Amino acid sequence: MLDTPSSCRDAPDSAPDSALCAAEVARGTTRMLLRHDLIAIGEVALDNGRRADLMAIDARGQIVIVEIKVSRADLMGDAKWPDYLGQCDRYYWAVPAGFDLAPLNGVQFLPERTGIIVADRYDAEIVRPAHTTALAATTRKRCTLAFARRAARRLIGITDPDADGLTF
């Protein structure tokens, strides 16, 4: 049986002995992104009201969004993911090992634009690179500033949890 973190034990569509939960896929994907000099944060609220599972930025300022799917039902029922494309240079799907990749090759998932990452809780591998579609300069600046401010706010929350309610 897998050593399943408590945050995954009650996850829907994720049996501890047969599948990974989203938190485990996120962990392995984040480690892989870091090896590629992409610094990621999770659960990122976007300007358009959507929330990206992972957003990463590289040393050149390129932005990557990763949407994690651990069940076919979640993948097939997700109609919001195209809203992420205008907020990143590259877009990836991250799935656990053994996930059926066939749907991601269908035209509705834009295989010419989107990449695929296969992950476990320790690491991940890019099995299909994402096509780079450069953001407009104004969009890149807005997204980069939001990323930096989000990351800094999270760090403050860790070092001084009582500071969250302060406004200046």
Side-chain angles (χ1 to χ4, degrees):
M1 187 158 148
L2 291 174
D3 177 25
T4 306
S6 60
S7 63
C8 299
R9 288 191 187 117
D10 298 320
D13 297 327
S14 181
D17 59 345
S18 63
L20 293 174
C21 75
E24 293 171 321
V25 173
R27 180 179 189 247
T29 300
T30 299
R31 288 176 164 202
M32 183 271 303
L33 291 170
L34 190 56
R35 275 200 331 273
H36 289 277
D37 199 23
L38 283 147
I39 311 305
I41 56 177
E43 295 296 320
V44 179
L46 303 174
D47 287 350
N48 60 10
R50 301 294 186 201
R51 181 176 302 274
D53 291 332
L54 290 173
M55 180 183 268
I57 191 166
D58 69 13
R60 297 182 309 161
Q62 288 196 336
I63 297 171
V64 172
I65 289 180
V66 178
E67 180 71 4
I68 296 168
K69 297 297 178 190
V70 294
S71 76
R72 182 181 176 99
D74 187 25
L75 173 67
M76 301 310 285
D78 186 352
K80 68 186 181 335
W81 72 269
D83 296 344
Y84 301 152
L85 297 177
Q87 311 241 342
C88 63
D89 296 288
R90 287 177 286 159
Y91 180 91
Y92 285 94
W93 299 99
V95 298
F99 192 93
D100 179 13
L101 302 178
L104 294 171
N105 293 317
V107 295
Q108 71 272 31
F109 292 104
L110 303 177
E112 70 285 351
R113 168 80 159 86
T114 64
I116 301 173
I117 296 168
V118 174
D120 62 24
R121 73 183 315 249
Y122 300 104
D123 202 2
E125 179 181 353
I126 296 172
V127 297
R128 181 174 74 208
H131 176 76
T132 300
T133 303
L135 288 173
T138 55
T139 303
R140 179 178 315 290
K141 180 178 180 181
R142 187 180 70 252
C143 290
T144 301
L145 287 172
F147 181 94
R149 291 179 54 80
R150 212 172 278 118
R153 181 171 284 284
R154 288 185 186 178
L155 183 58
I156 290 169
I158 292 169
T159 59
D160 185 1
D162 297 329
D164 189 38
L166 299 176
T167 57
F168 298 96

